[in-house]
Amino acid sequence: MDQYGPQTPLARDIHAKKYRATGESFYDAVMRIAAALADNEKHRKQLKKMLLSQAFLPGGRIQASIGSPRRTCAHNCFVSGPIEDDSKVIMRRLDEAWQTMRLGGGIGYDFSELRPKGAPIATLGSRSSGPLPFLEMYDATCACVSSAGHRRGAQMGTLRVDHPDIDEFITAKHDLSRLTNFNLSITITDAFMMAVENDRDFPLVHNGTRYGIVHAPSLWDKILRSTWDYAEPGVIFIDRINEWNNLYYCEKITTTNPCAEQPLPPYGACLLGSINLTKFLNRDLEFQFQAFECNVTQAIRALDNVIDKTLYPIPQQRREAMDKRRMGLGITGTANVIEAMGYPYASDSYIEMQERILLALRNAAYRASCELAKEKGPFEAFETDKYLQGKFIQTLPDDIQRMIERDGIRNSHLLSIAPTGTISLAAD
């Protein structure tokens, strides 16, 4: 049995089928990825060691595509360009989605700009069908793409809580045969939550026109009951997301990627990787923070190189990625590790250790990106004073804020705690 790589039959099977070419061994795949993402020979050796031990688990699309002759994208998912209330724009976005999913990328859309069902269309002398039929059109397109390749298409569809068709959106997937290629979420505003808290009515509006009014707590209850009974729709607190966005000064976020781990602007890309915490326990079951932080540093450098070396389905996605160099490094194996250290799940001691690990992740990632900026330059949309005024940036230690002020930062965003089902299974 190999002393590195997946050990159980299930893990070996998953890794071979999802992340390797025919005839490619685990070792071959590691060498391919390390060679493609390394800055120099020292970094290649460090990256090879991390990948062989599966201490660093790049996102599945990276493992499958980077350095491979196959024409697929290393980013897991994207967000669509704005879907305006215009038939030509709607069809253009559908074509862009087709191109994106064809190369293996999932995509998220916000349909809130589309006029509600029954609203007049003056140029045609007719009335709108509302957003839901357009979701069905996008859903059918995704089904065509997934049937043509080995990876099922993934989509997120969102609608603002104040859209006049919100009631129909909440129950759209109560018919289990409908919109099967979509996750659905409602973007929740602060104004709505204040109305819920204060037991008030809430207006449903579109493009400045009021179409109706609802009792906010009753609508909230309907959303929660649907989520309990059908697991959809999800909720996204969109005002809070924009308030805490590092790039609050140059972009507006209206939706997320399909699994919702990354709120993204139009054409934004979801670039993911995870540090496998189970590899940082010593024989005495103590967590090795120094080794963990060193691995975070090398992983940030590797993920930054993905941005330059991957294939982008459409030019707008490439431009957005290059301007901001977003990434999302996270962790997996958290509960396994903290419980192995003797802390009962969700106990105070468990939460304290989890916080220590997450703070170490945050600080190591932001320091690594500052060092990269010193070496390679900051991301193009970086503006020192505005970036430093960001709410999240102001939570960073003073020394990191000084590094950002002095040298800039290579990546606008660095962290995402993503679902890691398949890459975690492949790592036993």
Side-chain angles (χ1 to χ4, degrees), residues 295-312:
N295 275 256
V296 169
T297 298
Q298 301 307 321
I300 292 295
R301 182 176 286 272
L303 288 175
D304 183 67
N305 287 335
V306 173
I307 297 167
D308 299 310
K309 297 186 178 183
T310 189
L311 174 70
Y312 293 88

Side-chain angles (χ1 to χ4, degrees), residues 76-131:
N76 284 55
C77 300
F78 297 85
V79 154
S80 169
I83 301 178
E84 300 165 13
D85 192 31
D86 179 285
S87 59
K88 291 182 180 179
V89 174
I90 292 168
M91 297 310 295
R92 192 180 309 133
R93 298 294 176 256
L94 184 62
D95 178 65
E96 292 170 356
W98 169 273
Q99 294 181 59
T100 300
M101 290 185 287
R102 188 172 61 87
L103 294 183
I107 193 161
Y109 324 83
D110 179 44
F111 292 94
S112 301
E113 293 300 312
L114 302 187
R115 70 190 74 185
K117 187 175 183 179
I121 305 175
T123 56
L124 300 176
S126 61
R127 295 191 175 275
S128 169
S129 61

